[in-house]
Amino acid sequence: MSTAAVTPAASLPPETLVITGWSAVSPYGVTREAFAAGVRGGARTAVKADAALGTLPSPNVCTVPGFDIQGLLGPQGTAKMDRLTALTLVASDGLLLDAEGNRAVRTDEATGVVLGISMGSLENMTDLLRQSYTNALPFHVDAGRIPFGSLNHAAGACAIRHDLKGPNTTVAGGRVSGLLALNYARRLMSQGRATKYLVGSVEEFSAIHAWFEYTALAAGDPSPLLGEGCGLFLVEHAGAAESPALAAVLSIQTGVDIDDDPRAAVTACARRALNRAGVTPDEVWAAVPCAAPNAAGRAESEALAALLPADALSRVPPMELLGDTSAASASFQIQAVLGVAEADPTSSGRIALVSAVDRDGAVACAVLRLLGEHA
């Protein structure tokens, strides 16, 4: 059974990476509060797809409700902005600004950004390719949309919007992207190359993405119910944190399933992460798998069920409620734990494990110690 071992944030080694803030733009809404309430309530987010999207492999979608790019970000520079960039910018505003739009979080010259993605804005890239093939000449494309086709545009736009001059990085790793990004931030901060980081991951919904996922289905898998959104964190070192720590990142481990055995790969990765964190499987209070709707996702759930206490796997509602959010999923998993923990005073000092596995074989696990505030 799980055992509580309360560890005040003040007792952490100063170089420990801690999460001091988070924001979520999700199928529950554009605020952190909407995400936390939706997760705690176990609310489903699937709605009937807008007819303007045309025929889709699934009639339902899990998109961000009422996501109006110009309404949320204003008219300047947004006329041709892709949805991926807009989701990132709205999430960054939620993390760094207060309700009146004033800066609420101090940053410095060494504050960086690292963002996890899968393929960037697939809709934007395929539209440009289509124009190049179907217009009179190959270069007769909408030049105003070209910048949005680069994989690192969203992270760069986030830095420009908030004047963040530290390392700026984009990592593409499918469902493990959020954990890869968190690990990247941990490494660079440990080397003194950044003082704090905006770190997270993002995925956009589009008809082309839905059909892409449909063509990648294995025999017997259901049609994908896709979601979207962006989850961002502010991470700092415990010894320099300017806001109360919500969770300490004890370890992050990654791996690759080279034996076509995702259950064994997840088990090995989770054990390494727990060992590195200095905790045992019995100490895990909450565990959240990515719940990918494929064989890798099912193997991940089986691996965690065999390794961890049963109540740990039921403490946080399943991520299927949000749809398949791909690159954004690992960030949402961590935020789901934080959202549940902030309403449960018994969570302080407890251990949480978040895992992710991609159909291409990438595996990652993170172990956190929950420290945060309670509603």
Side-chain angles (χ1 to χ4, degrees), residues 7-207:
T7 301
S11 69
L12 293 170
E15 69 277 12
T16 304
L17 191 72
V18 294
I19 297 172
T20 57
W22 61 276
S23 65
V25 177
S26 73
Y28 288 123
V30 297
T31 65
R32 161 183 165 165
E33 290 74 18
F35 181 89
V39 167
R40 290 197 293 265
R44 295 191 176 278
T45 62
V47 297
K48 188 173 181 180
D50 191 319
L53 292 169
T55 304
L56 298 172
S58 171
N60 296 321
V61 296
C62 298
T63 51
V64 179
F67 191 74
D68 175 9
I69 294 177
Q70 294 196 329
L72 290 164
L73 296 172
Q76 185 173 3
T78 56
K80 298 182 180 183
M81 182 177 287
D82 62 302
R83 200 170 173 89
L84 189 96
T85 299
L87 290 166
T88 304
L89 295 185
V90 174
S92 68
D93 285 356
L95 184 60
L96 297 179
L97 306 182
D98 62 20
E100 285 72 41
N102 300 313
R103 194 61 164 264
V105 175
R106 193 183 72 83
T107 57
D108 57 27
E109 295 288 312
T111 300
V113 178
V114 55
L115 189 66
I117 63 170
S118 54
M119 297 172 288
S121 178
L122 193 59
E123 181 180 42
N124 191 56
M125 287 186 283
T126 53
D127 279 351
L128 284 172
L129 284 173
R130 185 182 300 111
Q131 291 173 22
S132 182
Y133 282 119
T134 59
N135 289 348
L137 291 171
F139 52 88
H140 286 181
V141 298
D142 186 348
R145 298 186 66 179
I146 291 177
F148 299 106
S150 61
L151 293 179
N152 62 350
H153 182 267
C158 178
I160 292 169
R161 183 173 180 84
H162 297 290
D163 195 26
L164 305 176
K165 300 175 182 176
N168 191 284
T169 309
T170 299
V171 295
R175 286 184 179 80
V176 305
S177 293
L179 299 183
L180 295 180
L182 191 59
N183 200 32
Y184 186 95
R186 181 190 62 79
R187 290 204 313 271
L188 261 65
M189 288 180 64
S190 70
Q191 296 165 2
R193 298 181 63 183
T195 54
K196 60 182 72 174
Y197 252 107
L198 270 70
V199 53
S201 52
V202 60
E203 190 66 73
E204 70 170 14
F205 177 88
S206 67

